[in-house]
Amino acid sequence: MKKKYYGALWGAALCLLFLWGCAPSENKVLLSSSGSAIGQEQQTEETIVTENQTEPGIWVDVCGAVVKPGVYHLEAGARIYQAVDAAGGFLEEAERTAVNLAAVLKDGEQIRILTAEEAKIRNESEAASGLVNLNTADVQSLCTLTGIGASRAEDIIAYREREGPFQSIEEVKNVTGIKEGTFQKIKDKIVVG
């Protein structure tokens, strides 16, 4: 009788262990300090980030001239300066004025912090090509576009500060007062990269 009792007990214990091992676990993503996924064997040395689809907030990719590039989870409504802080701050060679630190972030957005040299090359390239970057241009530069006056230029800047960087040139049509006709006049003269 004792053998049957112990046999049943062992069988139950094995079933529980099997079920426990097969139970679904949280969806975990392992990230290295560079933000890339890593294997289970490195788990003790790296950070485990739990990604839950119902978790409130946003995920943003911060890269370029920051201390710890990677993917970060922030509260909804967070601003670029908070993403930079989460990535450990600027590197010494970062061009801090090349990005609007007050812009509101969107889920899935990538924030690239340029070095001073990269920003200089980009600005020279845009100037030489005659293109106006909707994400970096000041009022004076925007006013060089056909049909864009000071008031409309200020609307463009206000839009990108409120909504974040333009993702495509077509998005400029979301700015108050810029309709299809104006867009057709400026589309070959604007960039967002």
Side-chain angles (χ1 to χ4, degrees):
M1 182 72 173
K2 273 187 169 181
K3 285 185 178 183
K4 283 186 179 180
Y5 176 75
Y6 286 123
L9 191 58
W10 275 106
L14 288 173
C15 284
L16 285 174
L17 283 172
F18 176 76
L19 290 174
W20 179 73
C22 292
S25 62
E26 292 180 345
N27 183 16
K28 293 182 180 175
V29 179
L30 300 179
L31 298 178
S32 69
S33 58
S34 67
S36 58
I38 59 171
Q40 276 300 82
E41 66 279 356
Q42 295 178 10
Q43 181 174 351
T44 57
E45 297 176 11
E46 305 295 341
T47 305
I48 299 176
V49 178
T50 303
E51 183 177 352
N52 182 344
Q53 296 298 347
T54 61
E55 189 173 324
I58 59 171
W59 291 88
V60 294
D61 178 12
V62 185
C63 59
V66 292
V67 175
K68 291 172 27 180
V71 175
Y72 294 92
H73 184 259
L74 301 169
E75 291 182 18
R79 300 187 181 266
I80 290 179
Y81 80 89
Q82 292 169 304
V84 171
D85 286 347
F90 292 105
L91 291 177
E92 188 175 318
E93 63 268 20
E95 179 56 63
R96 297 165 192 232
T97 62
V99 64
N100 176 5
L101 295 172
V104 176
L105 293 163
K106 296 178 185 175
D107 186 48
E109 188 172 349
Q110 182 184 66
I111 305 303
R112 178 167 182 76
I113 304 300
L114 301 176
T115 65
E117 186 63 27
E118 290 170 331
K120 180 181 174 188
I121 291 169
R122 182 190 67 186
N123 292 342
E124 288 172 354
S125 173
E126 288 172 2
S129 67
L131 298 176
V132 175
N133 188 323
L134 294 175
N135 289 323
T136 60
D138 59 13
V139 171
Q140 185 179 4
S141 297
L142 290 167
C143 286
T144 64
L145 298 169
T146 304
I148 304 295
S151 175
R152 199 63 62 229
E154 289 171 2
D155 290 342
I156 292 170
I157 292 170
Y159 178 88
R160 76 180 183 217
E161 288 176 351
R162 183 179 64 250
E163 301 294 329
F166 288 93
Q167 301 300 313
S168 69
I169 62 169
E170 290 78 14
E171 190 179 344
V172 76
K173 293 187 286 186
N174 295 339
V175 175
T176 304
I178 299 182
K179 304 288 185 222
E180 185 64 31
T182 303
F183 175 72
Q184 289 301 319
K185 292 176 188 174
I186 66 172
K187 69 179 184 178
D188 296 328
K189 297 289 184 185
I190 56 176
V191 294
V192 295

